Amino acid sequence: MANSDMTMNLSLSKDERETIQLVSDETTRAITVILRYWVSPSIGIIGVIFNIFSIIVLFKHGLHKCSNILLFSLAFMDISSLIGFNNVPNLLYSVHGGGRFLYSESESLFLYALYFVSVIMDYGLGLAALCVPMLITIERLVAVFLPLQVGQIITPLRTWIAIGGNATFWIATMTYTCFWYKFEYVFDHSLNKSVGLIVRSETFYADLHAIPIFIELFFSMKIPPLITVVGCVAIIVKIKVTTRKRSKMTSSKVASTSKTTQTLLAVCFAYLFVCVILAVPSYLPAHLSAYSLTTDNPTNMATIIYFTMGVMYSCNCSWNFLAYVALNKNFRDTFKAIMIPKHCKKLRQ
């Protein structure tokens, strides 16, 4: 969740901003430094490591299963989003520079270019990742309700096409919105030096009529969580009904849910929990919420909420591996085999 103005635009004047401040500038900076320099990068490093482990294990299991393809793609997108959100240019501009690049013109221009590469990595594949649980839910719905036809309906090729189309759409969308900005190197009287700024471009003002469409597109991301929650409820109800019917037909113990379904449902429920938290700012007054910080002049509380949302999103990109290890014995055994080579096992024996 880097800084993109496809989202909410806070057009507060300086006087309005000062009259509604709830937190001092010093406190805001201290909280921001803690969240951006320590908490979020720490979670990001752990998340990248966890997702790399997931990719290795899933690749070892083979990508012939559609569920493995979905989880493999989700891990890759999460890595991209974690790196994009915790990138150095973002830190140097948003936190260290207070909305400025404090370097030479060539250095600032280079950081500006990297900044928007990170926006595409973060928002482009990040938004694509937020759609993957919906695809997981659809795959499980077919597997649970049409178990005999699932192999013909959900194929590896169709799964790759769905994932590729989803990723291409969001990457293209976010690449286009990057042209709403341009780089300017100007003299800052408060610092008595020239600084690099990210400002609105002519393309942005030419696209003013189309910006509401992009905003609606962004907020259409409420749809994947809704489909996911309805689908998960339907899956659970179907499994309960099927289990009850089978238990009446036999006296032996019947397994209620496959490990694959348990794992995928756990991923979806963790995703839904984070989606609820990430949606909170959209219901707050404009001066308390911010989904973007670039050139929007947000209030201190909005800045804190923005970075807090970033930490929660980083958590969402990081903890799926723990669900795989906890709920899937096959995944857990493969991970142990990778981490503990055979010769080490023989030495222990």
Side-chain angles (χ1 to χ4, degrees):
M1 293 168 50
N3 303 326
S4 167
D5 278 297
M6 193 181 79
T7 55
M8 191 175 300
N9 183 23
L10 301 178
S11 55
L12 297 171
S13 67
K14 183 177 180 181
D15 292 337
E16 290 174 327
R17 182 178 181 276
E18 291 176 350
T19 57
I20 59 177
Q21 292 289 22
L22 300 177
V23 184
S24 67
D25 291 342
E26 293 76 15
T27 302
T28 300
R29 179 162 182 79
I31 294 174
T32 299
V33 168
I34 292 172
L35 293 177
R36 289 299 280 129
Y37 277 133
W38 300 103
V39 178
S40 186
S42 299
I43 295 172
I45 292 172
I46 295 172
V48 168
I49 294 172
F50 279 179
N51 281 297
I52 290 174
F53 286 153
S54 296
I55 286 175
I56 293 172
V57 174
L58 291 166
F59 187 80
K60 194 172 183 65
H61 283 177
L63 300 181
H64 54 280
K65 289 181 61 178
C66 296
S67 57
N68 284 354
I69 294 172
L70 290 166
L71 296 181
F72 179 91
S73 303
L74 180 60
F76 177 82
M77 293 175 184
D78 283 342
I79 289 174
S80 173
S81 191
L82 286 169
I83 294 174
F85 181 70
N86 293 290
N87 70 90
V88 173
N90 192 355
L91 289 172
L92 294 177
Y93 186 84
S94 301
V95 182
H96 178 68
R100 297 160 293 193
F101 286 123
L102 306 177
Y103 310 99
S104 68
E105 184 172 4
S106 58
E107 291 171 337
S108 297
L109 183 59
F110 177 72
L111 290 172
Y112 167 82
L114 288 182
Y115 183 96
F116 281 102
V117 170
S118 72
V119 167
I120 295 171
M121 291 178 64
D122 179 13
Y123 264 99
L125 287 179
L127 290 170
L130 289 175
C131 294
V132 173
M134 176 182 67
L135 298 179
I136 291 174
T137 304
I138 293 172
E139 189 270 343
R140 281 298 94 185
L141 280 169
V142 177
V144 171
F145 283 86
L146 300 170
L148 299 179
Q149 293 82 28
V150 63
Q152 289 75 41
I153 299 173
I154 308 291
T155 65
L157 177 60
R158 291 173 181 173
T159 303
W160 282 118
I161 291 173
I163 292 170
N166 171 45
T168 300
F169 173 79
W170 286 112
I171 289 173
T173 300
M174 292 313 305
T175 299
Y176 182 83
T177 62
C178 289
F179 291 101
W180 288 351
Y181 302 95
K182 65 180 180 179
F183 174 80
E184 285 189 356
Y185 198 69
V186 299
F187 186 81
D188 190 319
H189 294 281
S190 64
L191 298 176
N192 196 31
K193 62 178 294 187
S194 294
V195 298
L197 297 178
I198 300 174
V199 299
R200 305 288 193 187
S201 69
E202 292 75 15
T203 304
F204 173 81
Y205 295 104
D207 283 348
L208 284 176
H209 64 284
I211 289 176
I213 299 175
F214 281 89
I215 294 175
E216 289 300 320
L217 181 64
F218 181 84
F219 284 108
S220 71
M221 288 305 296
K222 295 178 181 179
I223 297 175
L226 290 175
I227 294 176
T228 302
V229 69
V230 171
C232 287
V233 170
I235 291 169
I236 292 172
V237 171
K238 175 64 175 178
I239 290 172
K240 293 292 185 183
V241 171
T242 303
T243 303
R244 189 170 298 177
K245 288 181 179 179
R246 289 179 180 175
S247 64
K248 291 180 179 179
M249 296 171 61
T250 178
S251 58
S252 60
K253 186 177 180 181
V254 179
S256 58
T257 311
S258 71
K259 293 299 181 182
T260 300
T261 300
Q262 286 182 358
T263 303
L264 295 176
L265 285 176
V267 171
C268 291
F269 283 128
Y271 156 80
L272 290 171
F273 170 74
V274 173
C275 284
V276 170
I277 296 176
L278 294 179
V280 170
S282 65
Y283 298 100
L284 295 176
H287 66 277
L288 293 179
S289 60
Y291 284 104
S292 172
L293 298 182
T294 305
T295 71
D296 279 347
N297 195 28
T299 63
N300 289 338
M301 182 56 70
T303 301
I304 293 172
I305 291 176
Y306 170 82
F307 287 120
T308 301
M309 295 298 101
V311 170
M312 287 305 305
Y313 182 74
S314 295
C315 290
N316 180 61
C317 294
S318 304
W319 57 32
N320 288 335
F321 171 79
L322 300 177
Y324 306 156
V325 171
L327 297 175
N328 195 308
K329 186 178 183 300
N330 192 23
F331 185 98
R332 185 166 60 248
D333 291 342
T334 303
F335 177 66
K336 288 180 181 179
I338 293 172
M339 298 303 294
I340 306 175
K342 292 181 179 179
H343 68 272
C344 292
K345 294 180 180 178
K346 291 180 180 179
L347 288 175
R348 287 185 179 183
Q349 294 173 355

